[in-house]
Amino acid sequence: MDILLIGGLWLDASTWDDVVSELAALGHRPVPVALPGQGDGSGSATLGDQVAAVLAALDAASGEVMVVGHSAACSLAWLAADARPERVAKVALVGGFPASDGAAYADFFEVTDGVMPFPGWGPFEGADSADLDEEARRAFAAAAIPVPEGVAKGVVRLTDERRHDVPVVVVCPEFGPAEAKAWIDAGDVPELARARHVTFADLDSGHWPMLTRPRELARLLADAAV
């Protein structure tokens, strides 16, 4: 199966390199998606540009496609299901949940000079970063790509109710399946509350398993793609 891999904030497509090699060894066709504004040097990219890049990768794929979104990019994966419900066989959400229609994509941190830089490790202390040592933290921060304001503050627009028929697997790294179910049941994730086929997969890692547990993440994704 073709598996599109979409990284979250501050990440370029190379963040998936170790997952790509594992998925390929397991017989899949992994496609890390290069997002405008996250690796190409563009500071003027918009959320619409990123959605277009994901849809271009989806349209270029053959056969069934699973779309994987990490963190904030869970919304990009869900937007792909909304735009192409007949093409997306499954959505995998890694360490995040899709935003609702009308919500900002990722307006989480301060924007400076038109971009939202990595805010440092303060907001991610605890379970998010517990499996990153000091060297890994320094490397992450040094490589982090400021996200264009037009992406971070872009508004999510969902239009096709058929997205709720697309099967979803929620990959739970820094939180557990029971927590994720509780958030959905409490109404905190309206899109998944309306989804008709939601399963959960536990993964013992922090918020960036593609960096710290790439083999385990790849095997989990391969299992979900069956």
Side-chain angles (χ1 to χ4, degrees), residues 3-206:
I3 301 178
L4 304 189
L5 302 165
I6 313 169
L9 303 177
W10 311 298
L11 304 174
D12 65 13
S14 70
T15 195
W16 296 103
D17 284 354
D18 291 340
V19 175
V20 165
S21 60
E22 292 288 341
L23 283 173
L26 293 169
H28 293 282
R29 297 179 296 277
V31 180
V33 180
L35 296 174
Q38 290 181 221
D40 63 354
S42 171
S44 61
T46 65
L47 178 60
D49 295 331
Q50 292 201 348
V51 173
V54 172
L55 294 181
L58 177 58
D59 291 341
S62 59
E64 293 189 322
V65 182
M66 182 167 78
V67 183
V68 180
H70 165 255
S71 192
C74 290
S75 292
L76 285 175
W78 197 237
L79 283 161
D82 179 72
R84 304 283 193 276
E86 72 286 350
R87 290 282 288 123
V88 178
K90 182 171 282 189
V91 169
L93 307 175
V94 181
F97 302 94
S100 299
D101 179 62
Y105 173 65
D107 190 14
F108 302 139
F109 303 104
E110 183 178 354
V111 170
T112 303
D113 296 329
V115 296
M116 188 174 69
F118 177 63
W121 290 106
F124 304 107
E125 288 299 336
D128 282 349
S129 59
D131 59 347
L132 291 168
D133 60 22
E134 286 304 315
E135 182 179 351
R137 290 185 183 208
R138 285 194 296 270
F140 183 103
I145 301 165
V147 179
E149 181 176 12
V151 173
K153 294 190 175 184
V155 176
V156 172
R157 293 299 182 193
L158 300 165
T159 61
D160 196 327
E161 291 296 314
R162 291 179 297 165
R163 68 185 179 276
H164 294 121
D165 292 320
V166 177
V168 179
V169 56
V170 179
V171 179
C172 305
E174 73 273 23
F175 52 84
E179 291 174 279
K181 291 176 187 176
W183 295 329
I184 295 169
D185 292 343
D188 296 334
V189 192
E191 282 300 310
L192 294 192
R194 297 169 66 191
R196 297 177 179 87
H197 312 283
V198 181
T199 58
F200 301 84
D202 200 10
L203 179 61
D204 183 16
S205 78

